[in-house]
């Protein structure tokens, strides 16, 4: 019976240690993103296989709508480094596949009437850094 209690205690202690390590690493990524944003991130979003984190911060500059600044950073969990980062006026970013993010960089004024938001949307592979225009990729 002593052995059963000993084994149960070891398993319980190991499980608690792993949980604490996971929460510490979450705090580490929040701090890493905060160094870039100079504020706490609004969101930390893992990709499908949990290898990368998309950290997002939205900042409304002034009281007028349309003055929003989106800052994002992609963190590689294996190397604990920011592999991509950008600041975009009125932009949007989201995961669209395991290793790809979609980034919308709208202009202040469209150049002509035939342009759509897809003309200003890029797909970026976070592993390679390769960027492609969403509209060109669809054609």
């Amino acid at each position: 019976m002593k052995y059963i209690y000993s084994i149960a205690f070891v398993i319980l202690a190991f499980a608690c240690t792993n949980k604490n390590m996971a929460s510490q690493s979450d705090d580490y990524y929040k701090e890493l993103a905060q160094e870039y944003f100079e504020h706490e991130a609004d969101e930390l979003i893992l990709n499908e296989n949990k290898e990368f984190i998309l950290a997002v911060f939205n900042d409304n500059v002034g009281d007028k709508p349309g003055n929003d600044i989106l800052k994002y950073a992609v963190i590689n969990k294996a190397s604990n480094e920011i592999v991509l980062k950008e600041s975009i006026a009125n932009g949007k970013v989201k995961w669209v596949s395991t290793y790809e993010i979609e980034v919308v960089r709208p202009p202040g004024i469209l150049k002509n009437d035939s342009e759509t938001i897809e003309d200003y949307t890029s797909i970026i592979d976070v592993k390679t850094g390769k960027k492609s225009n969403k509209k060109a990729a669809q054609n």
Side-chain angles (χ1 to χ4, degrees), residues 36-51:
Y36 169 61
F37 297 145
E38 299 175 359
H39 300 279
E40 188 171 320
D42 292 329
E43 292 182 275
L44 292 177
I45 308 162
L46 288 166
N47 68 337
E48 289 176 10
N49 62 5
K50 298 177 172 72
E51 290 180 32

Side-chain angles (χ1 to χ4, degrees), residues 9-91:
F9 178 75
V10 169
I11 291 172
L12 181 63
F14 182 72
C16 290
T17 302
N18 281 343
K19 184 177 180 183
N20 288 339
M21 289 174 63
S23 64
Q24 287 175 356
S25 65
D26 288 349
D27 290 342
Y28 172 78
Y29 298 121
K30 286 178 184 177
E31 289 175 17
L32 185 61
Q34 187 169 352
E35 286 178 24
Y36 169 61
F37 297 145
E38 299 175 359
H39 300 279
E40 188 171 320
D42 292 329
E43 292 182 275
L44 292 177
I45 308 162
L46 288 166
N47 68 337
E48 289 176 10
N49 62 5
K50 298 177 172 72
E51 290 180 32
F52 291 89
I53 299 171
L54 175 61
V56 180
F57 174 74
N58 289 293
D59 190 11
N60 188 342
V61 182
D63 296 332
K64 296 180 182 177
N67 289 337
D68 297 331
I69 302 294
L70 169 85
K71 290 184 180 182
Y72 76 88
V74 178
I75 303 167
N76 182 331
K77 288 179 70 175
S79 65
N80 292 327
E81 293 180 6
I82 294 176
V83 294
L84 292 171
K85 59 185 176 184
E86 187 173 15
S87 178
I88 310 165
N90 301 311

Side-chain angles (χ1 to χ4, degrees), residues 70-136:
L70 169 85
K71 290 184 180 182
Y72 76 88
V74 178
I75 303 167
N76 182 331
K77 288 179 70 175
S79 65
N80 292 327
E81 293 180 6
I82 294 176
V83 294
L84 292 171
K85 59 185 176 184
E86 187 173 15
S87 178
I88 310 165
N90 301 311
K92 294 182 182 179
V93 64
K94 66 179 180 179
W95 287 109
V96 291
S97 72
T98 304
Y99 297 112
E100 293 178 323
I101 57 173
E102 179 181 274
V103 181
V104 179
R105 297 177 190 84
I109 299 172
L110 296 175
K111 293 178 185 173
N112 59 54
D113 292 339
S114 65
E115 288 184 324
T116 66
I117 198 67
E118 289 182 348
D119 289 305
Y120 300 97
T121 303
S122 300
I123 304 295
I124 303 173
D125 184 316
V126 298
K127 287 182 92 171
T128 65
K130 183 181 175 192
K131 185 187 305 186
S132 60
N133 183 280
K134 182 176 181 177
K135 191 170 188 176

